[in-house]
Amino acid sequence: MHIDILTLLPEAFTYLNYSILQRAQAAGLVDIRLHHLREYATGKHRVTDEPPFGGGGGMVLKPEPIFTAVESILDDGVSNTSIAHPIILMTPQGRPFTQTIAQELAGYERLLLICGRYEGVDERVRQHLMTDEISIGDYVLTGGELAAMVVVDAVVRLLPGALGAEGAAETDSHATGLLEGPHYTKPANFRGWDVPAVLRSGHAGQIARWRRQEALRRTWERRPDMLVTAVLSEEDKWFLGQLAADGNR
Ligand code: ADE
């Protein structure tokens, strides 16, 4: 996979040089390239932003450097330009980012992420250049850089081979439509608190059943909205019925 990021703050992306993201790049699973928006601006001062027409506070990113940058990045010969690669603006007005969107994006050969700054970008960028807009939550950041890193992290860990233990991403919270249940590691007894006996029983069937039930319990307690869309077996429904009955007692 190939990911281009257009930003006024490429220095902010050092997070990508660590851990799983670093290993995925070293292994050739993903090629992440940072592009400085200022380099695509013209004139002596390479201006990238201007005050808004009609007045009002803040600055707005100009259309020309963004169009020039996107056109030049996509024409770099790295991939087939006749394929429509997603061009995604990071903005609090975008569609809310979810695990499902991360999975969708992980299926593309190439992504281009644009980080907004200041008051936003000229509307013509949104209308005539972007194919998608993504928000990482209902709050306003000072720029799209943190949001782009969130999206890159969530997408890259889904690429086959990115996580050490193959298949680990499949059991993540949200990937299954449920939150994950509790995890324990050594020691078996810590300050008098025991690890549940079933996890030490060595009985794979019972452990799998317990994990499923704890995932259901946690989702029921914390995110009951997720149960509406989760894929549930008859046994899952029976267990949730028990939880509800216990709760009403
Ligand atoms: N830029 C500023 N705030 C943002 C948000 N919540 N999501 C994505 N990009 C942003």
Side-chain angles (χ1 to χ4, degrees), residues 90-92 116 134-144 147:
M90 306 313 304
T91 162
I134 289 179
S135 163
I136 62 159
D138 288 344
Y139 40 79
V140 180
L141 304 166
T142 50

Side-chain angles (χ1 to χ4, degrees), residues 64-88:
E64 306 98 311
I66 301 181
F67 271 81
T68 309
V70 168
E71 283 157 7
S72 131
I73 291 166
L74 289 182
D75 201 22
D76 61 3
V78 168
S79 61
N80 187 342
T81 45
S82 60
I83 297 175
H85 306 290
I87 306 173
I88 307 169

Side-chain angles (χ1 to χ4, degrees), residues 1 9 33 37 46 61 65 134-135 167-168 194 204:
M1 176 175 224
L9 263 186
R33 298 191 191 180
L37 180 59
R46 294 188 177 267
L61 288 177
I134 289 179
S135 163
D194 280 326

Side-chain angles (χ1 to χ4, degrees), residues 159-223:
L159 299 178
L163 301 184
E166 199 70 51
E170 274 109 67
T171 57
D172 282 344
S173 285
H174 294 286
T176 59
L178 298 176
L179 300 181
E180 273 189 282
H183 297 290
Y184 293 90
T185 187
K186 289 175 185 167
N189 179 289
F190 173 66
R191 298 190 177 179
W193 300 307
D194 280 326
V195 170
V198 58
L199 293 178
R200 300 171 58 210
S201 68
H203 194 297
Q206 282 176 16
I207 292 172
R209 188 155 175 265
W210 182 86
R211 287 199 169 131
R212 180 75 188 173
Q213 293 186 344
E214 291 309 309
L216 289 163
R217 184 195 308 277
R218 188 151 283 187
T219 310
W220 185 75
E221 285 169 355
R222 301 186 182 191
R223 291 292 305 276

Side-chain angles (χ1 to χ4, degrees), residues 89-95 97 114-118 133-148 151:
L89 180 67
M90 306 313 304
T91 162
Q93 299 182 9
R95 55 179 177 140
F97 190 56
I114 321 284
C115 305
R117 284 241 130 216
Y118 316 119
E133 300 184 24
I134 289 179
S135 163
I136 62 159
D138 288 344
Y139 40 79
V140 180
L141 304 166
T142 50
E145 284 75 17
L146 285 167
V151 169

Side-chain angles (χ1 to χ4, degrees), residues 4-162:
D4 295 283
I5 303 171
L6 182 62
T7 168
L8 277 168
L9 263 186
E11 313 81 35
F13 286 83
T14 50
Y15 176 73
L16 303 183
N17 300 333
Y18 298 96
S19 184
I20 288 169
L21 287 170
Q22 188 275 331
R23 272 189 277 130
Q25 291 175 87
L29 300 178
V30 62
D31 178 16
I32 304 175
R33 298 191 191 180
L34 298 167
H35 307 271
H36 200 320
L37 180 59
R38 195 162 303 286
E39 286 169 16
Y40 297 90
T42 51
K44 192 166 147 220
H45 300 293
R46 294 188 177 267
V47 174
T48 53
D49 57 317
E50 292 280 3
F53 273 119
M59 299 292 271
V60 176
L61 288 177
K62 289 161 65 62
E64 306 98 311
I66 301 181
F67 271 81
T68 309
V70 168
E71 283 157 7
S72 131
I73 291 166
L74 289 182
D75 201 22
D76 61 3
V78 168
S79 61
N80 187 342
T81 45
S82 60
I83 297 175
H85 306 290
I87 306 173
I88 307 169
L89 180 67
M90 306 313 304
T91 162
Q93 299 182 9
R95 55 179 177 140
F97 190 56
T98 60
Q99 190 67 23
T100 306
I101 297 178
Q103 276 153 359
E104 172 199 321
L105 297 181
Y108 285 99
E109 172 201 323
R110 183 169 195 176
L111 301 175
L112 209 164
L113 306 181
I114 321 284
C115 305
R117 284 241 130 216
Y118 316 119
E119 281 307 295
V121 301
D122 186 285
E123 187 64 18
R124 289 161 293 188
V125 170
R126 301 187 115 103
Q127 284 182 342
H128 305 294
L129 191 60
M130 298 300 135
T131 64
D132 199 356
E133 300 184 24
I134 289 179
S135 163
I136 62 159
D138 288 344
Y139 40 79
V140 180
L141 304 166
T142 50
E145 284 75 17
L146 285 167
M149 282 185 263
V150 166
V151 169
V152 168
D153 187 296
V155 168
V156 170
R157 64 193 298 290
L158 292 176
L159 299 178

